[in-house]
Amino acid sequence: MSHLFYLVGPPAVGKLTVARELERRTGAIVVDNHLVNDPVFVPMGVHRGEGIRATDELRRRVLSVVHEAAELAPSSFSHVFTNWLPDEPENAALVQRLRDLARRRGARFVPVWLTADADELAARVVGPERTQRAKLMDPDVLRTLLPIPELPAPPDAIVIDTTRIRPAEVADRILAAL
């Protein structure tokens, strides 16, 4: 059976790193949130410090195309989606949308909520590997985002604190929960 893993957590929690580990172990296709964000953020120059301007509708359009493409993929393919989800109705709807996408594909939906200590996130956010994809790299900006309430994990979610464990162990825990 194929899987649709959905890794959710704040910036620098390790979503993409864990996604890559799941990709290595399962062959799943990684659909990182920057696959959606970067086609909008990069041409607008958001990563150059000017702030996010009116990107929501553009990002929704890109996301629709990405979901459509995932749905058209062979049913034997697994996917790993990543995101940070503030507690807003449209984000709860997004979780349901991915759950429905998994059902239509005959895949098992695996929601994974990742957390980490704020100081650890601030230390990670400055990592040089984050420059590759227009990722947040300012610990002060991160600290303004962390108090924003996150969408609560659904009852069937796997919840993992990544503060003191390596990405390989996070992947071990996800795969063991299957």
Side-chain angles (χ1 to χ4, degrees):
M1 169 181 255
S2 62
H3 297 85
L4 192 156
F5 299 96
Y6 192 28
L7 307 182
V8 175
V13 78
K15 297 181 295 290
L16 181 56
T17 306
V18 172
R20 294 281 184 231
E21 184 67 21
L22 289 170
E23 174 186 46
R24 186 183 69 75
R25 294 184 190 193
T26 70
I29 297 167
V30 174
V31 185
D32 179 50
N33 57 301
H34 280 271
L35 182 67
V36 173
N37 294 339
D38 287 356
V40 175
F41 289 175
V42 172
M44 291 178 79
V46 171
H47 64 292
R48 293 188 176 181
E50 293 299 317
I52 298 173
R53 304 172 307 273
T55 63
D56 289 349
E57 179 54 33
L58 290 171
R59 289 173 44 245
R60 271 192 285 278
R61 289 171 32 206
V62 173
L63 182 62
S64 290
V65 170
V66 168
H67 285 183
E68 183 179 346
E71 187 163 356
L72 293 171
S75 61
S76 61
F77 289 4
S78 291
H79 292 85
V80 185
F81 284 78
T82 71
N83 219 334
W84 174 56
L85 299 176
D87 191 4
E88 298 170 358
E90 61 267 18
N91 288 332
L94 177 58
V95 174
Q96 186 59 49
R97 186 174 169 188
L98 283 171
R99 190 181 293 275
D100 292 344
L101 172 62
R103 181 186 41 75
R104 288 191 305 274
R105 295 191 75 249
R108 179 176 175 187
F109 183 66
V110 184
V112 180
W113 258 239
L114 302 176
T115 65
D117 176 77
D119 290 333
E120 179 65 19
L121 293 173
R124 291 179 187 174
V125 81
V126 298
E129 70 281 357
R130 295 183 60 81
T131 60
Q132 299 169 7
R133 301 190 82 183
K135 290 183 172 223
L136 172 66
M137 295 190 63
D138 186 331
D140 293 329
V141 173
L142 174 69
R143 289 192 190 281
T144 68
L145 296 176
L146 293 178
I148 297 171
E150 292 182 273
L151 188 71
D156 60 339
I158 302 164
V159 179
I160 303 172
D161 184 333
T162 68
T163 303
R164 290 179 178 74
I165 61 175
R166 300 172 57 95
E169 187 178 342
V170 175
D172 287 342
R173 291 182 186 188
I174 293 167
L175 295 172
L178 301 179

